[in-house]
Amino acid sequence: MTEQAEQKAFSIRGAMDAVGNIVDLHVARGVFVAEAPEGSELIEADGLVVLPGFVDIHTHLREPGFEASETIASGTAAAVAGGYTAVCAMANTDPVTDSVERVESMRKLARTSAHNEVFPIGSLTIDLAGQQLSPIAEMAACGVRLFSDDGRCLMDPVLMRRALELSAAHNVVIAQHSQDHRLAPADACADERSIAGELGLPGWPWAAESSIIARDVQLAELTGGHLHVCHLSTAESVEVVRWAKARGVDVTAEATPHHMLLTSDLLRSGSTDYKVNPPLRSAEDVEAVRAGLVDRTIDLVGTDHAPHEAQFKDLPFPQAKPGMTALEQALSSLMESLLLPGRIDWTDVTRIMSTAPAHRGQVPGQGLGLGVGSPANLVLVHPARRRVVNRDDSASAGRNNPYHGMDLPDPIELTMGAGRILYRR
Ligand code: DOR
């Protein structure tokens, strides 16, 4: 995170916490303290909700290699505007984060340019090629806690078994992008069950996702490994995870805000901003994913923030790159799909956006709540304001914003990380 000369003290007055109590919070030297420090800046928070800072364990920052799509600076500016005090950066950069040196170089870049904390995710395989495992033990020893070839599925079951064995030995988590590339090859771009036939687009069948999850949870059971399922999107995937958890497998599952709000009907518009991997699904699948989050089969929200420069989106649908910007509207989207309809409350938001991702990603200093002595990571939220989303208002360099033109909650007022104001509306 960028260094600032002084460390100011703050008193945040009159906010409502997640359980509905009106609280005053005091911050000095980067942590919550019991008393208002001398000379602290007063932040009036009447009518605002205060939550622990959000943690995203699934962000694409694109730097190094794809700086025209996003940089660490622009991606983390989007993150703090979305209430995130930490993000874990996916490894599909150029070069790929597949060695200790590249982890260190990413950390160095982040120290000078990031607006919040950035934790590199290690790739599962060298150059994401799916042929040879990355040096998981070495990267684990230098503090990497998540490994993923996200964007690509690790298809080889023997390598996946070995990766899960290593995850058990080194206390790290294997985050899988579950997509059988034979059933859903590179051009598969639309949900086969609901829309691909109608639009004449190459279909992405539901079984391409859940069959890999079924294989992986069994490999996790076999090895005692730690598995995280990225961005699950179908009813069948939720069923498989539910079954695996009932068997005691160490599996966590993630849902994106877009897979819980947006449906495949949007593809009729022809806009490639709705192209994402896995694809947007039917209303029935969206409901199953929502229900999975509500009943805790799904543990946490990951954004899969995936900015792309315009030239890669201004292409026919099958050739356009998959991905959506997601950090700035993550809470907006979740409020619209689940909070405002009363299916989750602010304690659930705290769990799925802060505590659970920080815990699963073993993200140091994050997800620890608002108690005295904890690092002062918080977000102030306006619970009622709305706005029509305009992609050009974004801090992200990406303009592939699937919420553009939608009337959505506009909640983020202020984001504080380690006692510093990282974003203020
Ligand atoms: O839509 C997606 N875009 N899904 C992924 O899993 C990867 C991501 C990207 O890197 O663009």
Side-chain angles (χ1 to χ4, degrees), residues 149-205:
D149 276 359
D150 184 68
R152 298 197 196 157
C153 182
L154 178 50
M155 292 292 299
D156 184 332
V158 179
L159 282 187
M160 190 61 181
R161 175 185 184 170
R162 182 71 190 132
L164 286 162
E165 282 167 0
L166 289 167
S167 79
H170 298 283
N171 187 27
V172 297
V173 171
I174 306 301
Q176 173 76 296
H177 173 113
S178 311
Q179 173 181 6
D180 189 320
H181 289 299
R182 295 155 302 192
L183 285 167
D187 68 345
C189 60
D191 179 42
E192 183 180 282
R193 181 156 55 187
S194 62
I195 198 93
E198 178 193 323
L199 298 181
L201 292 171
W204 209 116

Side-chain angles (χ1 to χ4, degrees), residues 61-74:
L61 291 177
R62 304 300 191 209
E63 186 179 358
F66 305 101
E67 288 83 355
S69 294
E70 193 79 288
T71 60
I72 293 173
S74 63

Side-chain angles (χ1 to χ4, degrees), residues 58 60 62 92 150-151 177 231 276-277 304 306 308 322-323:
H58 193 150
H60 296 276
R62 304 300 191 209
N92 60 344
D150 184 68
H177 173 113
H231 46 46
V276 67
N277 195 359
D304 194 12
H308 289 296

Side-chain angles (χ1 to χ4, degrees), residues 28-48:
R29 296 173 306 280
V31 298
F32 293 112
V33 293
E35 308 265 309
E38 187 90 7
S40 57
E41 180 184 331
L42 180 65
I43 300 176
E44 289 289 1
D46 286 358
L48 303 179

